[in-house]
Amino acid sequence: GFYARIFAREGAEVVGVEIDKRHAGFGQIVNKLERVNFKIIQDDFLAINEGKFDIGIILTVLYHFLNEPDKLYQFLHKIDRCVTRVLFWESVDNPQVEKELILNNTGFNKYEQLAITIGTGKVRELGVFLKTNS
C-alpha cells in the first residue's frame, strides 16, 4: 500500500488487491490516518474482475506462485490482461527466473533494471517491464 498511497496522493485512481484480511484491514486504517482514498479489495487477485490499468506493481509477489505452476500462469495471464503499459516488479530469490517468466508469458517485451535491493536479508532486484510497439 505504500506506493499505492503515493500514487493516490498524486491524483491517480488506485486499486489495491490484498488476499490477507488483516493486511487489507490495516491498509484501510492507514488510508484513513493518512487521509488517502484508494480502493482496497480483500480478495484473491485471480478471482476479481477489476478492469484495465496503466500501471501495475508486483513487489515480491511472484514467489508466492513459483511452486504452483497453474496459478503462476493464471497470474501472469491476468497481469498481462489488466496492466496495459508499465509493470513495476521486485524479485525474491531468483530474479532471472522471474524476469524470464514475465518476458516469455506476457506482452511485456522490454525490461529495465532500476536497482538491487536488500530486504529481510535477501538480495533482490527491482525493475520495470514495458509493453512497447516494437
Side-chain angles (χ1 to χ4, degrees):
F2 175 79
Y3 294 105
R5 286 190 299 283
I6 290 172
F7 282 115
R9 273 192 217 101
E10 294 300 318
E13 182 181 332
V14 177
V15 175
V17 180
E18 174 58 58
I19 195 167
D20 186 282
K21 186 176 183 175
R22 293 174 301 139
H23 291 171
F26 180 72
Q28 294 290 3
I29 291 167
V30 173
N31 276 352
K32 286 181 184 178
L33 288 172
E34 293 188 2
R35 295 185 176 102
V36 174
N37 187 22
F38 73 88
K39 184 177 183 178
I40 298 177
I41 300 170
Q42 191 272 305
D43 204 344
D44 182 341
F45 176 70
L46 295 175
I48 66 164
N49 185 11
E50 271 303 307
K52 300 219 181 261
F53 302 93
D54 293 330
I55 299 170
I57 303 173
I58 56 169
L59 306 179
T60 65
V61 170
L62 278 185
Y63 79 99
H64 290 290
F65 300 103
L66 291 177
N67 292 325
E68 299 181 75
D70 290 342
K71 282 190 176 182
L72 171 65
Y73 292 108
Q74 287 176 6
F75 179 81
L76 291 169
H77 181 69
K78 183 127 187 190
I79 285 288
D80 192 33
R81 280 192 338 258
C82 292
V83 180
T84 61
R85 298 179 65 199
V86 177
L87 180 66
F88 288 95
W89 157 86
E90 185 180 35
S91 73
V92 177
D93 294 323
N94 196 333
Q96 193 58 40
V97 166
E98 291 187 29
K99 286 187 290 192
E100 289 174 9
L101 281 165
I102 294 169
L103 289 169
N104 293 331
N105 294 285
T106 70
F108 293 98
N109 56 0
K110 183 174 180 186
Y111 174 76
E112 291 289 330
Q113 181 185 42
L114 299 176
I116 297 296
T117 62
I118 300 174
T120 62
K122 294 183 182 217
V123 176
R124 301 173 178 175
E125 186 172 334
L126 175 69
V128 62
F129 292 88
L130 303 169
K131 287 184 178 178
T132 64
N133 295 331
S134 58

